[in-house]
C-alpha cells in the first residue's frame, strides 16, 4: 500500500480527530479512504448518467451567452 502525506489546517485536522473519537473511523487514513471512495463512486455515477442521457449535441456558445445575458438582465431589473 502506498503512503500519502497531506497538510491541512488545524480546524480540519480537529474535525477528522472528532470523527475518529466518535467511533466513525479507526484512523485518519480510514476516514480519507472512505471520502475518496465516496467521491469516486459519485464521479462514476455522474459519468454513467451522462452516457445514458443520450446522444451528445454540439454546444452553441452564442445561444448560451444570450440566454445568460437575458437571465442577468432579468435578475437585475
Amino acid at each position: 500500500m502506498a503512503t500519502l502525506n497531506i497538510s491541512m489546517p488545524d480546524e480540519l485536522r480537529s474535525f477528522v480527530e472528532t470523527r475518529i473519537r466518535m467511533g466513525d473511523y479507526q484512523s485518519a487514513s480510514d476516514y480519507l479512504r472512505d471520502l475518496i471512495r465516496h467521491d469516486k463512486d459519485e464521479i462514476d455515477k455522474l459519468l454513467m448518467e451522462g452516457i445514458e442521457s443520450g446522444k451528445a449535441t454540439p454546444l452553441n456558445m452564442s445561444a448560451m451567452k444570450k440566454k445568460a445575458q437575458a437571465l442577468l438582465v432579468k435578475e437585475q431589473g
Side-chain angles (χ1 to χ4, degrees), residues 5-69:
N5 295 314
I6 63 168
S7 298
M8 67 178 66
D10 291 339
E11 180 181 332
L12 291 180
R13 177 64 190 186
S14 177
F15 179 79
V16 171
E17 289 169 354
T18 299
R19 295 298 304 261
I20 294 165
R21 278 194 308 274
M22 291 171 56
D24 296 327
Y25 300 94
Q26 293 181 355
S27 66
S29 292
D30 186 35
Y31 181 53
L32 291 172
R33 280 191 298 269
D34 190 51
L35 288 176
I36 293 166
R37 267 189 229 100
H38 281 26
D39 188 42
K40 183 183 178 308
D41 289 347
E42 182 65 18
I43 290 170
D44 290 346
K45 178 184 152 217
L46 291 172
L47 286 171
M48 286 307 299
E49 285 177 8
I51 289 169
E52 294 170 353
S53 69
K55 185 178 176 185
T57 57
L59 182 62
N60 184 335
M61 284 304 291
S62 178
M64 185 180 284
K65 285 180 184 178
K66 286 180 184 178
K67 186 174 181 178
Q69 288 171 341

